[in-house]
Each structure stands twice: as structure tokens, then as C-alpha cells.
Amino acid sequence: MNSAFKYDLLVVGAGLYGAVVAYRARKAGKRVFVIDRRSHTGGNVYCENQDNIFVHKYGAHIFHTSNKEVWDFVNQFVEFKPFVHSPLANYKGEIYPLPFNLNTFERLWGVATAEEAQAKIEEQRLRLDHEPRNLEEQALSLVGRDVYETLIKGYTEKQWGRPCAELPAFIIRRLPVRMVYDNNYFNDAYQGIPIGGYNRLIEGLLEGVDTLVNTDFFANREKWEAIADKIVFTGKIDEYYDYRFGKLEYRTVRFETAT
């Protein structure tokens, strides 16, 4: 590293990725500085204590991995409460378990075995003589009309803000379909939510690291680029390039909170 710089590494963004990079770099003996434009560290996993309930401010985050090294690493900083994510879909007042499994197909068709469910899917599957050209064709060729219309089309179009026929096929290429009774959304061996919220994990990662919030990299870019030998940038990539390659269409969700 160039000793002319005050820091070896500037990390822009104090979310999980930035915090882990900062932790690893500090452990390797590097001088690290972290900045974030928000008023807090933690990025999208930041939690607020509301009446002793740790609320995930930017939407629920379930930590899941099959990598034991990763699991052991995060458990150094915070204990995790086991949690199985079992979402439900509401279609015209009918409730269906997700991801697609025999519980779903039983609700949809009244079938009781994997053979019956597979037969229904085969009966409805769209058979193409070409590679699927869009998400709609991809979904119909994988799971057929009923599953697509009931559990994919409406949600996907709401989430992406455009018709399924205008979305690329790869988005849904690995659609999980389980021919067992299992509502667990993830297949990973380790799943959980930090007891006391993600803030404890982030605080542990950033312990001993110079950190500044309410600080916008772009408000004084020359200053921040001059402060460190290397930069790890975790913000919006189109903004980093001053939008000269165009703007990316970021999508988000609207939160409606009830207490």
C-alpha cells in the first residue's frame, strides 16, 4: 500500500458486505475507514428497537447458508434464533404455501401424491420448439397454466412493474418445485435471525474500524478518493459512473406498517 494515503482502504457503505470487508482488512493489519450516507450502519439489515421488538427497517432478512465456515463466522458476533421461512400466497382469498410443494398442489388441485401432482403439471406444461423467449413462456413450460396464473403472474408483474411477457426468461429459470410436503423456503443447512437484531452483528464487524455515517461519498468525491489507497464501493453502480452508461431500473417495495 502507498504510505502517502492516510488509510489503506476506504469502504463506501456500511452494510453486511462493507462491514465484512472492513473486518477482514483490519484483521489483516490494514488501516480502514468506512462511510455511509445513511444515519446508521447496517445498510438494509439495520434494525430498530420498537417496544423491545427488533424491527427490520428495510424488510425482513433471514440469514441462511449451507457453508459452515460462514455460519461459524457470524455466530462469533451474535447468537442466532432458528427460523424457518414458510411464506404464504393469497390468491383471490385462497391461501397457498410457498415454495411450490405438495402442500401447494394439494390446495390447488386436491392431489395427494407426487405422481398425481407431476401428472397435472405435465398435462398443462407449454411445449415449445424453441428456447423460452420470456418469463411467461419459461414459467408455462416449467409448471403449466394453473401454477403460473395463480402463483407467479400477478406477484411477478407487481414486483417488476411490467408484464411477464416482457421480462427475460432467466429470472425464473431455476423455479423450485418440490414433490414433498415441505414449506421451508430455503434449502440451506443453517437458517436463522440474530437475537437482538442484525445491529449486533454489524457492530461486532466494525469494532475498532473508523466509521462515519451521514456522509455522502458523492458530495465530496475528490476528498474521499484521496483519503485511501484503495476503495471498496458497495453503493449504486450506475451512480458511481455518474450515470454515463445510463440509469439502472432499481425496484423496491412499499412498506405498510401496522402496530
Side-chain angles (χ1 to χ4, degrees):
M1 294 288 187
N2 189 334
S3 59
F5 291 99
K6 183 177 179 182
Y7 291 94
D8 299 314
L9 183 67
L10 172 69
V11 179
V12 181
L16 266 179
Y17 186 89
V20 170
V21 168
Y23 174 85
R24 292 290 199 191
R26 187 180 71 83
K27 286 291 186 182
K30 306 302 180 186
R31 299 164 298 168
V32 187
F33 195 21
V34 177
I35 63 173
D36 198 295
R37 62 168 40 150
R38 290 176 175 172
S39 62
H40 56 75
T41 60
N44 287 340
V45 299
Y46 171 72
C47 300
E48 287 184 341
N49 186 339
Q50 299 178 14
D51 300 319
N52 292 320
I53 299 169
F54 291 94
V55 178
H56 297 195
K57 182 175 174 63
Y58 303 100
H61 290 80
I62 298 103
F63 196 95
H64 57 100
T65 180
S66 287
N67 187 319
K68 190 173 188 305
E69 185 180 356
V70 169
W71 186 245
D72 290 343
F73 175 76
V74 293
N75 273 271
Q76 294 177 89
F77 306 100
V78 62
E79 185 181 353
F80 281 73
K81 179 179 177 62
F83 181 86
V84 173
H85 187 41
S86 302
L88 299 170
N90 185 331
Y91 179 74
K92 296 182 178 180
E94 292 290 328
I95 303 299
Y96 299 93
L98 295 177
F100 311 136
N101 68 89
L102 284 183
N103 288 306
T104 317
F105 304 137
E106 183 179 38
R107 291 282 297 147
L108 192 60
W109 297 312
V111 299
T113 67
E115 291 74 20
E116 290 174 309
Q118 192 62 58
K120 289 292 288 187
I121 290 173
E122 285 301 317
E123 176 188 312
Q124 296 187 6
R125 267 197 332 107
L126 177 66
R127 285 164 174 77
L128 301 169
D129 57 5
H130 58 265
E131 283 293 308
R133 290 173 292 214
N134 53 56
L135 187 148
E136 182 171 84
E137 286 189 353
Q138 180 71 68
L140 289 171
S141 66
L142 286 172
V143 291
R145 177 67 58 182
D146 286 349
V147 175
Y148 170 69
E149 294 285 355
T150 306
L151 300 169
I152 298 174
K153 180 177 166 62
Y155 173 82
T156 303
E157 291 182 347
K158 177 182 177 182
Q159 193 73 7
W160 288 88
R162 60 185 62 186
C164 288
E166 295 179 11
L167 291 167
F170 73 81
I171 291 174
I172 209 164
R173 191 152 286 155
R174 290 182 295 276
L175 195 62
V177 177
R178 299 177 185 159
M179 292 302 171
V180 292
Y181 289 98
D182 182 5
N183 294 336
N184 188 344
Y185 191 79
F186 303 114
N187 289 317
D188 292 300
Y190 309 103
Q191 304 176 41
I193 294 178
I195 296 173
Y198 279 94
N199 298 4
R200 292 176 60 191
L201 172 59
I202 298 297
E203 288 162 5
L205 290 166
L206 292 178
E207 185 178 353
V209 175
D210 291 345
T211 304
L212 200 58
V213 296
N214 290 312
T215 303
D216 189 345
F217 173 78
F218 298 104
N220 200 343
R221 185 168 182 163
E222 286 187 10
K223 168 191 170 181
W224 295 117
E225 288 182 335
I227 204 172
D229 187 21
K230 302 286 184 184
I231 296 174
V232 172
F233 179 83
T234 70
K236 294 179 179 179
I237 195 67
D238 53 351
E239 186 179 17
Y240 182 82
Y241 288 105
D242 199 25
Y243 305 105
R244 66 177 178 268
F245 302 111
K247 288 188 176 184
L248 292 171
E249 295 183 57
Y250 295 103
R251 297 285 295 169
T252 185
V253 292
R254 184 184 74 250
F255 296 104
E256 295 178 0
T257 303
T259 303

